[in-house]
Amino acid sequence: MDMIPMDFRIVVDNSCDLIGAFDEQIKCLYINRAMEKATGMQAHDLVDKTLKETGIPIHACTFLEEQIQKAFLTGKDTEHEILMDFPIGFTHRKWLWCLIPEKGSDGEILCVFLIGRDITEKKLPIADSSLYTSRSYVLFENSMDMIFETDKNGAITYVSHHIQKYGFKEEELLSTNIFELFIPEDRDHASREYLRLQTSEGMATMTMRLRDKNGKLFWFECRCSRQEDANSAFIGISGILKDITEHMEKEQVIRILEAVSITASKFLQIGVSSENFKEILEQLGRATNVSRVYIFQNETEDDCNLLMSHKYEWVARGIAPQIDNPLLQKLPYHLMAPRWEKTMRRRYHISGLIKNFPDEERRALSDQGIVSLAAVPIYIGREWWGFIGFDDCEHEREWSLVEMDALWIAADTIGAAILKQQIESEISKSQKRMKTILEAVQTGVIIIDAGSHTIVDANPMAVQLIGGEKVDIIGKTCHDFMCAAEKGKCPLTDQKQIMDFSERLLVTAKGERVPILKNAVHIELDGRQCIVESFLDISHLKETERALMESEEKFRTLFMNANDVIYIYDYMEDKIKEVNHIASEMLGYSRVELLDMSPRDFNAPEYTALLPERFQELKKKGKTIYETIYLTNAGKHIPMEIISRIIDYKGKKAILTVARDISERKLAEEAYKKDVLLKEIHHRVKNNLQVIASLLSLQSRKFQNRDVILAFAESQNRIRSMAIAHEKLYMSKNLKNIDVADYIKNLANYLLCFYRTDTKKVNLEIDVDEIYLDIDKIVPLGLIVNELITNSLKHAFDPGRDGLVSLSLKSCDGSLVLTISDNGSGIPEDVDVFNTSSLGLQLIIALIEQLKGKLKIDRCAGTTFIMTFTDLG
């Protein structure tokens, strides 16, 4: 639309109001960006279109067309409120429409400006153009951006009221040089653009920064144009300052997140190393545009004090590195940066201008040339590992919330990478242990891909049994060596058995057939479905069977001297016909007694009921293998592995049974199950406590009140007392009982370390008898200890005063006496411990009642709590 000057066009295009210009035929001459967004149509598509073709609802179009025609007739401005919907994003809203006729130099109306504003929430007046001679003023004052004009020397002659948002008044900026609003680093660029506009036509677009009256930094896009008088002489500039702070912050965050993405990819592909850290820190440094990026790692001294050491660093060109600074190694937090330790333990970050930091921190950081910084803790699971820092040595940088969120993501990514490395290291150690075991066992073991049935690994015994080299075995199908007669009929993959425990023939590399006892099960290795087959050469057993059939004498010799229980059972007469010596020794019956018995007589009752089923299986297959429990004459239960087959004995069918004592194997299996169970318990407890601790940590971030934060810390300590109990249970050989002395010492020392900052001179004495309690009793007992020791460490001693906290647990006449005392200031006499609002004391009383104990308090020379429990032992 040629009739709209360029500087006015800038304002109209960027206005938040809906603006359009229409001729006398109600055809569109121009619409701004806001109108484009509301109608969902582009400006070039609407030119020469009628108002009804713009997407404005028909009832509103009819009314507005009448008002436009009246504006052409009367030449007067009008305002109208209409309830209407727009196609895009504006549903059932109230709009204020202002119609402003535009007149030419001859007084004739050229067009009518139609200006719409959403006043659903609050009716905002559009300036009455009858009060002002310039149509620009109406739009300037209603624009969401800051409008300004200067004279030829750069002095401000006009600035819109939006400058108030940044703490300034319009009148105080009049006659101020426009360049003084910008920060010094941006003034040279602005001056060059200003000089260019003095000598040539056109527009200038710049990205500038200015600080509000409170010193906060804002980003602006400045679009300005040359202003001329009637003789085309330069008289100043006019322009728009559009606040793009949010946009710039988002771009900054995107750059940081891109660097984080590269970081994550690098760690996943290559892993954690010193060189990787340096490369990643450089990526983050360039993305955040800082002077220095570094990582400090935590470590603990023998006295439980936490230290920090400078491990990795990247610096920008011209910035002094600090990685070799010996003063930045093994720094004790409690002496050099107690605020940092306290803050980061609560999963908060440190950021800001160094000039606003506490004196003791400011001196050390200023010596390194730091002007502002941001430091974010790195956590590995629940453990605070260290922190990553970002230094700006050139500018007073203030980090926004979204930027800090991005830095948190970077810190979490690094923590996850370190955790991944630790897990991979543990997996590698586990794999090495497993490899050592597989190489040591005297049973052949092969691992088979379940899909292709190809062998992917074999232990040395398997290679020895098969013969040849390992390289000749890997890649072959298992049917080449086992189950050759049943190819395509795998019991696991084809017949869908859970496991296969059977006798097979092993075809060696030389073509020999070796009888084996095979056990095959499904497992998943590294996300791959596999079959693990273990097999044992039973040639000796087969030879034994053959010898039994060939010679009665050989049979009897072997029969009587075998280490396993062997007997021959006549199932028609239901009597044992022959039995060896080991059977008599194991079962506690004489040979004569056994020869008059049935297997039902020494099978445990629950297994006796299964014997008919076993017999049917034996008749069908000729052989059966199963496990049972034998009951000795003395009532002892012995787990046995049974191998039975039907033989010819003295012209009749009988059952030959070889029974092997598998007590040791069962003990090994139980030990393995216990190990798995303990690991599962440990895993679940750890996860549950992690969730609780995380929830408490997240919740505590919402508060600044020290009492509230301490309350959260106390809750986390209570969780810790329960966690220690589960940890001790996990480490105990006895699943039911926990060593109370070890548990209480661990808990008490943890609390002393936790409150060490305020209690440096407080000592702890512990005297606990050798007592074992189950988890249901030790958890409430631990909570009592936690609350009383915490109370002493927090309230009993004035700062800097020496003190002593004593704890004893003694067994006396069938009762347990727990005594916890301190030599501090003591609980005032007017405090009724049994009727108090203190959550800790209420918890102590409730837990003592839960354990059916009695409490006695001695307030002389400090405070002593004496608790007697008669039902804990």
Side-chain angles (χ1 to χ4, degrees):
M1 182 178 175
D2 296 336
M3 65 181 67
I4 302 180
M6 183 56 67
D7 59 326
F8 178 64
R9 179 72 167 267
I10 293 172
V11 178
V12 173
D13 279 344
N14 290 280
S15 174
C16 291
D17 294 329
L18 313 186
I19 302 176
F22 294 87
D23 63 15
E24 197 168 359
Q25 284 75 43
I26 323 296
K27 288 188 177 181
C28 181
L29 301 175
Y30 161 84
I31 65 168
N32 71 345
R33 294 171 185 168
M35 182 73 87
E36 284 183 334
K37 183 178 179 181
T39 60
M41 302 176 71
Q42 299 295 316
H44 59 78
D45 293 329
L46 290 178
V47 173
D48 288 334
K49 295 292 194 304
T50 65
L51 186 63
K52 292 181 179 178
E53 295 176 284
T54 62
I56 296 176
I58 190 65
H59 75 281
C61 284
T62 303
F63 176 77
L64 291 174
E65 284 178 349
E66 294 176 357
Q67 300 307 316
I68 291 173
Q69 290 172 350
K70 287 182 181 180
F72 270 102
L73 293 174
T74 64
K76 294 182 179 180
D77 298 348
T78 57
E79 290 184 2
H80 309 278
E81 292 184 9
I82 306 176
L83 191 65
M84 55 186 289
D85 298 337
F86 266 100
I88 306 297
F90 302 99
T91 59
H92 207 62
R93 315 286 289 180
K94 181 178 285 188
W95 291 82
L96 177 66
W97 291 95
C98 180
L99 288 84
I100 304 177
E102 173 64 16
K103 297 179 181 179
S105 56
D106 56 0
E108 290 191 9
I109 297 176
L110 302 176
C111 65
V112 172
F113 279 98
L114 183 64
I115 306 173
R117 173 172 294 173
D118 183 358
I119 60 169
T120 305
E121 281 74 28
K122 181 178 180 182
K123 183 174 179 181
L124 300 175
I126 296 179
D128 185 357
S129 62
S130 64
L131 300 177
Y132 306 96
T133 58
S134 170
R135 66 178 182 180
S136 301
Y137 186 86
V138 177
L139 298 175
F140 281 7
E141 291 302 303
N142 288 279
S143 171
M144 297 301 293
D145 302 322
M146 194 187 330
I147 315 298
F148 70 90
E149 290 182 350
T150 74
D151 62 15
K152 63 181 180 181
N153 297 317
I156 297 173
T157 58
Y158 167 80
V159 63
S160 63
H161 65 87
H162 297 91
I163 194 68
Q164 298 174 11
K165 175 181 176 182
Y166 306 97
F168 300 101
K169 294 181 180 180
E170 299 97 306
E171 56 268 20
E172 69 178 291
L173 294 181
L174 295 180
S175 300
T176 301
N177 192 289
I178 186 68
F179 304 120
E180 294 181 8
L181 292 179
F182 306 133
I183 65 172
E185 293 92 327
D186 295 343
R187 291 174 186 171
D188 288 344
H189 176 59
S191 298
R192 289 194 298 271
E193 290 297 312
Y194 187 80
L195 291 174
R196 183 178 65 80
L197 290 176
Q198 283 183 330
T199 58
S200 61
E201 297 181 355
M203 295 183 61
T205 302
M206 303 168 283
T207 300
M208 315 299 292
R209 291 167 290 176
L210 65 80
R211 294 188 183 276
D212 66 6
K213 271 206 168 180
N214 295 322
K216 184 177 180 181
L217 191 69
F218 289 85
W219 288 83
F220 286 88
E221 179 186 67
C222 178
R223 301 177 63 186
C224 52
S225 61
R226 168 190 175 94
Q227 297 296 303
E228 300 175 347
D229 61 14
N231 298 320
S232 299
F234 176 76
I235 61 173
I237 62 172
S238 63
I240 298 175
L241 287 172
K242 185 180 184 65
D243 190 334
I244 59 170
T245 304
E246 183 178 352
H247 171 73
M248 296 299 288
E249 288 178 348
K250 288 180 179 178
E251 285 192 347
Q252 178 71 38
V253 170
I254 290 172
R255 288 194 296 271
I256 297 173
L257 292 179
E258 287 176 348
V260 172
S261 176
I262 295 172
T263 299
S265 177
K266 179 74 68 175
F267 282 143
L268 286 174
Q269 293 175 6
I270 304 177
V272 177
S273 68
S274 178
E275 290 303 315
N276 284 350
F277 266 122
K278 294 177 182 178
E279 184 176 344
I280 295 311
L281 294 184
E282 179 178 357
Q283 293 277 357
L284 292 172
R286 298 191 184 283
T288 54
N289 195 28
V290 295
S291 307
R292 185 186 296 121
V293 185
Y294 47 86
I295 289 178
F296 275 74
Q297 184 176 350
N298 295 339
E299 56 183 294
T300 305
E301 281 187 321
D302 295 337
D303 60 359
C304 296
N305 285 326
L306 192 64
L307 310 178
M308 58 174 160
S309 294
H310 198 177
K311 292 295 184 182
Y312 309 102
E313 179 185 67
W314 169 86
V315 295
R317 183 178 298 176
I319 302 299
Q322 299 294 320
I323 190 66
D324 297 324
N325 186 346
L327 299 178
L328 298 181
Q329 301 299 322
K330 295 186 179 296
L331 290 173
Y333 276 100
H334 70 284
L335 295 178
M336 305 301 297
R339 181 175 74 99
W340 288 48
E341 179 180 9
K342 184 177 180 180
T343 301
M344 291 189 179
R345 280 191 185 279
R346 301 202 313 265
R347 291 182 179 260
Y348 290 154
H349 60 259
I350 302 284
S351 66
L353 305 180
I354 301 305
K355 66 182 182 181
N356 298 327
F357 277 38
D359 291 344
E360 62 274 12
E361 296 178 11
R362 184 170 62 250
R363 287 191 294 270
L365 296 172
S366 297
D367 290 344
Q368 302 173 45
I370 305 172
V371 178
S372 65
L373 67 73
V376 181
I378 297 173
Y379 271 80
I380 301 177
R382 293 169 50 197
E383 177 190 357
W384 176 32
W385 182 87
F387 63 88
I388 180 171
F390 300 81
D391 292 347
D392 197 322
C393 300
E394 298 178 348
H395 307 105
E396 290 189 344
R397 178 169 185 168
E398 295 176 351
W399 296 85
S400 67
L401 291 177
V402 289
E403 287 177 320
M404 290 309 306
D405 286 343
L407 298 187
W408 269 100
I409 294 174
D412 289 343
T413 301
I414 293 172
I418 296 172
L419 179 60
K420 174 177 175 289
Q421 183 189 45
Q422 292 178 351
I423 293 173
E424 288 175 347
S425 175
E426 289 300 318
I427 291 174
S428 176
K429 292 178 182 177
S430 177
Q431 289 174 340
K432 289 179 181 178
R433 289 195 295 268
M434 183 59 68
K435 183 178 180 181
T436 301
I437 294 171
L438 288 177
E439 289 177 351
V441 297
Q442 297 303 303
T443 302
V445 180
I446 60 174
I447 300 175
I448 304 166
D449 180 81
S452 62
H453 286 268
T454 56
I455 298 172
V456 296
D457 200 1
N459 75 336
M461 181 53 68
V463 175
Q464 179 181 331
L465 291 173
I466 294 173
E469 300 294 330
K470 183 176 180 178
V471 67
D472 299 324
I473 298 172
I474 304 301
K476 299 288 184 64
T477 65
C478 59
H479 303 306
D480 291 339
F481 303 105
M482 298 182 204
C483 312
E486 297 189 24
K487 185 175 181 180
K489 297 181 180 179
C490 175
L492 271 62
T493 60
D494 298 328
Q495 300 175 5
K496 308 302 180 184
Q497 292 180 202
I498 297 176
M499 65 178 297
D500 177 28
F501 186 67
S502 58
E503 288 185 15
R504 300 286 178 181
L505 286 177
L506 172 68
V507 181
T508 69
K510 295 181 180 180
E512 299 173 346
R513 292 176 176 268
V514 178
I516 58 172
L517 183 62
K518 183 189 75 169
N519 185 21
V521 293
H522 265 299
I523 66 168
E524 182 177 323
L525 290 177
D526 300 327
R528 180 183 187 182
Q529 291 298 320
C530 295
I531 298 172
V532 174
E533 289 193 358
S534 59
F535 53 94
L536 184 67
D537 182 354
I538 58 172
S539 299
H540 64 287
L541 181 59
K542 291 298 181 180
E543 289 297 329
T544 299
E545 292 177 355
R546 191 175 299 110
L548 286 171
M549 300 297 294
E550 290 174 354
S551 171
E552 179 67 21
E553 188 62 32
K554 291 180 180 179
F555 162 76
R556 179 165 294 279
T557 301
L558 178 62
F559 186 93
M560 290 298 177
N561 294 282
N563 290 325
D564 298 325
V565 172
I566 304 176
Y567 61 87
I568 299 174
Y569 167 63
D570 185 336
Y571 54 87
M572 297 300 293
E573 296 180 12
D574 192 26
K575 285 185 179 181
I576 293 174
K577 292 298 184 179
E578 190 58 83
V579 63
N580 65 351
H581 298 310
I582 195 68
S584 296
E585 295 174 7
M586 183 180 295
L587 297 175
Y589 297 99
S590 67
R591 185 171 182 273
V592 175
E593 289 175 323
L594 287 172
L595 290 176
D596 198 39
M597 296 172 68
S598 166
R600 292 194 304 274
D601 298 329
F602 49 80
N603 271 271
E606 60 269 26
Y607 288 90
T608 301
L610 298 175
L611 289 177
E613 180 180 341
R614 304 294 188 197
F615 180 64
Q616 293 300 322
E617 181 182 355
L618 179 60
K619 286 174 56 178
K620 182 179 180 180
K621 297 182 178 180
K623 184 183 68 172
T624 184
I625 302 174
Y626 61 93
E627 293 182 4
T628 187
I629 299 291
Y630 278 358
L631 187 61
T632 69
N633 192 20
K636 181 181 177 182
H637 288 70
I638 303 176
M640 307 292 290
E641 183 184 77
I642 307 299
I643 301 177
S644 296
R645 63 173 58 249
I646 296 177
I647 62 171
D648 291 321
Y649 179 72
K650 294 183 179 180
K652 296 173 62 177
K653 292 293 182 182
I655 298 175
L656 172 66
T657 296
V658 179
R660 176 169 294 175
D661 183 351
I662 57 172
S663 299
E664 292 183 2
R665 190 170 84 188
K666 286 297 182 182
L667 289 174
E669 289 176 356
E670 287 300 318
Y672 175 75
K673 290 178 181 179
K674 176 183 176 182
D675 183 56
V676 172
L677 177 60
L678 285 173
K679 289 181 179 179
E680 178 64 17
I681 292 171
H682 175 62
H683 179 69
R684 293 189 180 185
V685 169
K686 177 181 68 176
N687 282 352
N688 289 339
L689 293 175
Q690 174 68 34
V691 170
I692 295 170
S694 297
L695 289 173
L696 289 174
S697 176
L698 288 172
Q699 192 67 21
S700 67
R701 293 184 188 180
K702 298 181 179 180
F703 301 98
Q704 298 297 326
N705 186 289
R706 185 175 183 273
D707 291 339
V708 174
I709 293 172
L710 288 176
F712 275 101
E714 290 175 358
S715 296
Q716 288 174 312
N717 283 344
R718 293 170 183 137
I719 293 172
R720 175 64 180 170
S721 73
M722 292 184 283
I724 293 174
H726 284 282
E727 181 182 10
K728 294 302 177 185
L729 179 63
Y730 164 68
M731 298 173 64
S732 173
K733 293 182 180 180
N734 188 335
L735 278 173
K736 292 184 178 180
N737 294 322
I738 299 172
D739 184 349
V740 178
D742 184 40
Y743 167 68
I744 287 181
K745 290 176 183 177
N746 193 311
L747 175 58
N749 287 326
Y750 164 76
L751 292 171
L752 188 63
C753 291
F754 184 84
Y755 291 100
R756 175 67 69 181
T757 301
D758 301 322
T759 58
K760 298 186 184 74
K761 297 185 177 181
V762 176
N763 292 318
L764 181 65
E765 288 185 352
I766 300 176
D767 182 14
V768 181
D769 287 349
E770 183 177 350
I771 300 168
Y772 294 87
L773 295 177
D774 62 35
I775 190 69
D776 291 334
K777 294 175 181 176
I778 203 166
V779 167
L781 189 67
L783 287 171
I784 292 172
V785 171
N786 176 78
E787 295 300 324
L788 289 175
I789 293 181
T790 297
N791 190 59
S792 294
L793 294 176
K794 285 176 59 181
H795 304 297
F797 308 104
D798 295 330
R801 175 189 166 187
D802 291 341
L804 176 66
V805 177
S806 300
L807 184 151
S808 73
L809 181 63
K810 297 294 182 179
S811 179
C812 181
D813 297 331
S815 299
L816 295 183
V817 179
L818 173 63
T819 305
I820 299 177
S821 64
D822 63 66
N823 61 355
S825 56
I827 298 176
E829 291 292 340
D830 59 349
V831 174
D832 184 358
V833 173
F834 297 94
N835 186 16
T836 178
S837 60
S838 167
L839 175 60
L841 291 175
Q842 290 177 358
L843 183 60
I844 291 168
I845 299 303
L847 291 171
I848 292 173
E849 291 178 354
Q850 177 184 330
L851 295 175
K852 298 180 181 178
K854 295 180 180 180
L855 171 63
K856 179 181 178 182
I857 300 175
D858 185 353
R859 306 185 196 230
C860 297
T863 302
T864 301
F865 286 80
I866 304 171
M867 290 145 282
T868 304
F869 305 97
T870 58
D871 195 27
L872 287 186

